[in-house]
Amino acid sequence: MVNHSDLKILDPIWTTAYIVRNHGYMIYDTLFALDGNLEVKPQMVDTWKVSDDKLTWTFALRDGLEFHDGTPVTSADVIPSLKRWAVRDPLGQMLWTKVVDVKAIDPKTFQIVLKAPTGIMLQALGKPSGNPFIMPKKVAETDPGKQIDEYTGSGPFIFKKEEWKPGDKTVYVKNPKYKPRAEPASGLAGGKIAKVDRVEWVAMPDQQTVVNALIRGEIDMIESPQHDLFKVMEADPNIKLENLNKWGNQYIFRFNQLFKPFDNAKIRQAVITAFNQKDFLDGVIGDPKYYKVCKAMFMCDTPYATTKGMEAMYDSNFAKAKELLKEGGYDGTPVVLMHSTDLYVLTNLAPVAKSLMERAGIKVDMQSMDWQTLVSRRARKDPPDKGGWNAFLTSSAAVDIVDPLANTYINAVGENAWFGWPKDDELLRLRAAFADETDPAKQKELATAMQVRVSENPTHGYVGQWYAPVALRKNVTGNLISPVTIFWNIEKK
C-alpha cells in the first residue's frame, strides 16, 4: 500500500495529520466509532447509561480487551487516555469544560461526571479524526505536549517498530488475540477482523512510479492516486478505482494569528477576497468531475450549508483585497508560506496561493518542505523569521468539517486552539450555544452565525471541495466505505 504520505510521527494525540490518525486506527482501539452511515456506535464499550439528571455517564468495557503485550485493558488505562486527549482535541476541550470528574468504578467500569448536561458526549468520544485512542496507563500519562515513545495498542494490528524505516516502509502484522465485536464491520465500527497477516505501507514519492508499481502488481493499493493518472489505471483490466470516502474533502488555508501580518482581521479578509477556489482546484485536481467550487464553510450539500457572509469573498477581487490591506495597515511584511512538496494533493496549492496573494499586493516567502517536516514545524510558535510560519495549506475530510463542533478550524480558543491559535470569544460563544441547543432550526441559525463571524474575523480560508477514489488491484476486496482508510475486512485473493 502506498499512502498519501510517509509516516514519521507515531503519536495520534500529538498531531491531527491524517497519516498519523490512520496509524492510530491500525494499532489502537476506540471507545466509540462512526459506522458507514456516520452514526456513533460502541466499540470498546459494551454498555453505558446516563443518570436521570444527565450528569453521570457510566460506561462498561466489553470482555476480551487486551493490549498487544497481553495485559488487559482496564478503566485505569481509559481515564488517562481520555484526559490526555482532552487537552489537545478541540471537541475534547469543549467536553471537558463540563466535566467534574472521571473515575474508575472497577477495572471494567468508569464514570464521567458532568457539572452540566451536554449532548456532545458520544459525538466527542466517537469522532473519526482526533478520536481518543486508548493506550496503556503508563503511555497515556505522557505529557500532552510531548510525543509518546511506546506504541502498544489493543487494536487489530500490531506495529512492528523494528521494521519501521521512515522514507521506506511501515509494517503491521495481524493481532492474533484481537477479539472483534460480533456486529458486521461498518465504517470505523463493528467487527474489525484482520483478514491479512501483514500490511506494509511503502513510501514512494513519485506518482508515476507508484502507478507503474500498481500495474505490475508490486503493490496492491494506492490511497491517493494522482487525478491526471486515472485514465492510465482505468485502462488496465486488473485495476479498479473505488471512492471509499463518499463525503469528500475540503482544502484549507490556515493563518497564524500570533504574528504580523495575519494578526489583523482585515489582512486575513484581504487574502480570502483575493482567492478563488477554481484556481486551486484546477491546479491540483483538474477534472471538474472530482471537485466542487463551494463558498459554504460547512461544505455544500450538508445540513449547515450556506453562503451567508461569504458572498463577496473567494472571487479574486484584487481591487477590494488591496483596499482591505490598506485598511489593515499592511506594511509589506512578508508572509512565510509553508509549501508541502511530497503530497500531490497539496503540492500545487501553495504556488496558487502565492500567486493570488502577490496579485493583491502581499509579499510571499514560500518555503518548500516535505509534509512531515511541515507537520512538525506548524506546531512551533516561534516568529516566522525564527523558524516559525505565517500560513500553510492542508485538507480535511468532510466528516471533520460539516459539524460545527468537530470543525477544528473554528475552535478559536487561543493558546489551545489548532495550529494558528486564533482567539475569538464571540465564535466560542456561538459554538457553546450550538452544543447546548437541541432545536435543529436554531442550530442551523447558530451555524450560519458562525460562518458570518468567520467572514468578519477569519480563522482560515477554505478553497474548494474535492473527491478522490483509491486505486487497487482487482484481487483486493472488502474495502469499507469510511472517512478513514482502514485495513480490517480487506482480503487479497
Side-chain angles (χ1 to χ4, degrees):
M1 166 75 172
V2 173
N3 280 303
H4 69 275
S5 172
D6 185 28
L7 181 70
K8 295 181 180 178
I9 296 171
L10 299 175
D11 186 347
I13 304 302
W14 189 79
T15 179
T16 57
Y18 281 173
I19 188 65
V20 188
R21 173 204 64 185
N22 295 1
H23 161 76
Y25 276 104
M26 292 292 283
I27 68 172
Y28 300 108
D29 218 340
T30 60
L31 298 175
F32 291 85
L34 290 188
D35 69 7
N37 296 314
L38 302 186
E39 295 180 0
V40 178
K41 301 292 184 182
Q43 194 59 34
M44 299 177 80
V45 167
D46 182 19
T47 61
W48 72 98
K49 61 182 179 180
V50 187
S51 61
D52 291 341
D53 61 7
K54 309 298 183 186
L55 296 181
T56 301
W57 291 67
T58 304
F59 302 89
L61 299 174
R62 61 188 177 92
D63 293 333
L65 300 177
E66 67 174 51
F67 290 109
H68 298 152
D69 60 6
T71 59
V73 179
T74 70
S75 301
D77 305 298
V78 171
I79 291 171
S81 294
L82 289 176
K83 289 181 177 179
R84 184 169 185 263
W85 160 79
V87 172
R88 300 193 65 94
D89 181 78
L91 197 49
Q93 293 166 0
M94 178 174 285
L95 174 62
W96 238 248
T97 63
K98 302 177 183 297
V99 171
V100 173
D101 192 18
V102 185
K103 57 186 178 182
I105 304 303
D106 59 47
K108 288 182 58 179
T109 310
F110 65 96
Q111 285 184 341
I112 300 179
V113 183
L114 306 174
K115 57 187 174 184
T118 179
I120 67 171
M121 178 69 75
L122 299 185
Q123 180 185 354
L125 299 181
K127 63 200 300 279
S129 298
N131 194 298
F133 294 108
I134 304 305
M135 302 177 181
K137 179 178 183 292
K138 64 179 181 179
V139 178
E141 289 176 341
T142 301
D143 183 331
K146 298 179 181 178
Q147 296 185 51
I148 60 173
D149 55 13
E150 293 184 44
Y151 314 104
T152 301
S154 64
F157 291 95
I158 298 170
F159 173 56
K160 300 291 287 183
K161 186 174 185 295
E162 67 277 11
E163 295 189 54
W164 176 49
K165 298 177 181 178
D168 182 13
K169 68 179 179 180
T170 306
V171 177
Y172 305 90
V173 296
K174 178 180 179 178
N175 175 9
K177 295 183 179 181
Y178 182 77
K179 183 178 180 180
R181 294 189 67 89
E183 305 94 332
S186 176
L188 299 169
K192 300 179 179 180
I193 301 176
K195 297 182 178 180
V196 293
D197 294 323
R198 180 180 174 94
V199 176
E200 293 188 6
W201 291 0
V202 183
M204 286 188 190
D206 180 72
Q207 277 284 319
Q208 186 64 63
T209 301
V210 173
V211 170
N212 290 340
L214 183 68
I215 290 172
R216 291 192 296 265
E218 296 168 358
I219 60 174
D220 301 299
M221 185 172 170
I222 307 172
E223 181 188 30
S224 186
Q226 193 162 311
H227 284 73
D228 61 6
L229 297 173
F230 281 6
K231 290 182 179 179
V232 175
M233 293 179 284
E234 288 170 343
D236 191 299
N238 297 309
I239 295 175
K240 57 185 176 180
L241 296 172
E242 291 187 1
N243 186 14
L244 303 178
N245 178 13
K246 64 183 180 182
W247 306 278
N249 311 273
Q250 184 184 68
Y251 280 131
I252 301 293
F253 181 94
R254 186 63 164 183
F255 302 103
N256 184 345
Q257 296 193 30
L258 297 182
F259 304 102
K260 294 175 61 176
F262 294 147
D263 59 342
N264 186 290
K266 290 291 184 182
I267 296 175
R268 299 196 300 274
Q269 286 180 342
V271 170
I272 58 180
T273 300
F275 283 168
N276 77 85
Q277 296 181 349
K278 191 173 187 300
D279 281 3
F280 286 97
L281 294 166
D282 282 340
V284 183
I285 308 303
D287 187 345
K289 175 182 176 182
Y290 294 105
Y291 75 64
K292 179 180 293 185
V293 172
C294 174
K295 290 188 179 184
M297 183 170 73
F298 298 117
M299 303 187 69
C300 289
D301 306 317
T302 69
Y304 304 119
T306 177
T307 60
K308 191 169 183 180
M310 297 295 177
E311 296 90 345
M313 296 180 172
Y314 301 108
D315 289 329
S316 285
N317 186 337
F318 299 115
K320 178 62 176 176
K322 289 176 181 178
E323 290 178 13
L324 289 166
L325 288 177
K326 186 175 181 180
E327 290 176 26
Y330 178 62
D331 60 1
T333 299
V335 169
V336 174
L337 174 63
M338 293 194 291
H339 170 216
S340 170
T341 58
D342 61 331
L343 274 67
Y344 102 87
V345 294
L346 300 180
T347 297
N348 289 347
L349 294 176
V352 172
K354 179 178 187 291
S355 173
L356 294 174
M357 285 193 288
E358 287 177 339
R359 290 178 66 184
I362 300 172
K363 294 182 180 178
V364 180
D365 175 14
M366 189 175 76
Q367 299 183 10
S368 300
M369 63 202 75
D370 66 48
W371 176 242
Q372 291 298 313
T373 299
L374 190 155
V375 165
S376 296
R377 184 170 170 181
R378 71 183 180 183
R380 298 181 62 174
K381 294 182 179 179
D382 304 291
D385 61 349
K386 299 287 194 263
W389 56 277
N390 292 113
F392 69 93
L393 289 113
T394 186
S395 179
S396 285
V399 291
D400 297 326
I401 296 293
V402 297
D403 184 335
L405 298 180
N407 190 320
T408 190
Y409 303 109
I410 58 173
N411 182 42
V413 294
E415 182 178 350
N416 288 323
W418 196 73
F419 314 110
W421 307 284
K423 182 72 171 71
D424 187 334
D425 291 339
E426 173 61 13
L427 192 52
L428 292 178
R429 183 193 70 78
L430 291 168
R431 292 180 80 237
F434 182 96
D436 294 334
E437 183 56 67
T438 57
D439 183 338
K442 291 181 179 178
Q443 283 189 323
K444 169 76 172 178
E445 292 174 2
L446 288 164
T448 299
M450 288 181 222
Q451 178 167 301
V452 171
R453 180 59 181 170
V454 169
S455 73
E456 299 165 345
N457 191 28
T459 51
H460 66 293
Y462 44 96
V463 292
Q465 294 180 204
W466 62 283
Y467 306 85
V470 299
L472 60 164
R473 302 283 297 182
K474 287 186 176 178
N475 64 331
V476 177
T477 60
N479 297 78
L480 297 169
I481 298 295
S482 168
V484 177
T485 303
I486 49 182
F487 291 86
W488 54 84
N489 206 57
I490 292 179
E491 296 182 82
K492 180 180 176 182
K493 298 177 181 177

